[in-house]
Amino acid sequence: MKIKHNLTERDARIQTNWCFDDPCPIQFMLELLGSKWSVLILRELFRRDRRTHELLEALPGISSKTLTMRLRELEVHGLVKRTVFAEIPPHVEYTLTEKGREVQPVMIALKQLGEQWLGKKSCACLNQ
């Protein structure tokens, strides 16, 4: 059975404005930031530079394997910088790059909308 679609003039205008670029900028950003834990990792790094164990403590429920995978993805895309300190014992620290800081206004907008919809006065999740 075929379904006939009758597009109104408004629907046709909307459809001509859809983004069919490959890759679509919105889709690219959602794939990058939409991975489970990515946004929360960035939230923690907005507060301050973190070591691996600090991120594990700040994000209850994340496994060390998942944390490592997400940090590598964010590093590959240039949002996070990984620094290895040659100390005894050695440690690794993660820092936001300038590119990573460019995500902050988007995160602040999400925070403000969430506060509005939840009826909360203010949340300290992005305070530095």
Side-chain angles (χ1 to χ4, degrees), residues 33 42-50 77-81 94-108 126-128:
L33 299 175
L42 291 174
R43 179 196 67 192
E44 292 305 315
L45 293 175
F46 283 128
R47 291 178 177 165
R48 68 177 193 274
D49 299 347
R50 301 282 183 132
H77 288 284
L79 279 73
V80 170
K81 180 183 174 200
Y94 294 93
T95 309
L96 283 177
T97 63
E98 282 301 313
K99 186 175 180 181
R101 292 227 169 260
E102 291 176 4
V103 178
Q104 196 167 19
V106 176
M107 301 256 309
I108 289 170
L126 285 178
N127 293 349
Q128 294 184 346

Side-chain angles (χ1 to χ4, degrees), residues 44 48-60 62 64 67-68 71 89-94:
E44 292 305 315
R48 68 177 193 274
D49 299 347
R50 301 282 183 132
R51 294 170 69 166
T52 307
H53 77 276
E54 292 174 320
L55 287 166
L56 286 169
E57 290 170 8
L59 300 168
I62 191 170
S64 58
L67 176 60
T68 300
L71 285 166
H91 76 267
V92 176
E93 194 169 270
Y94 294 93

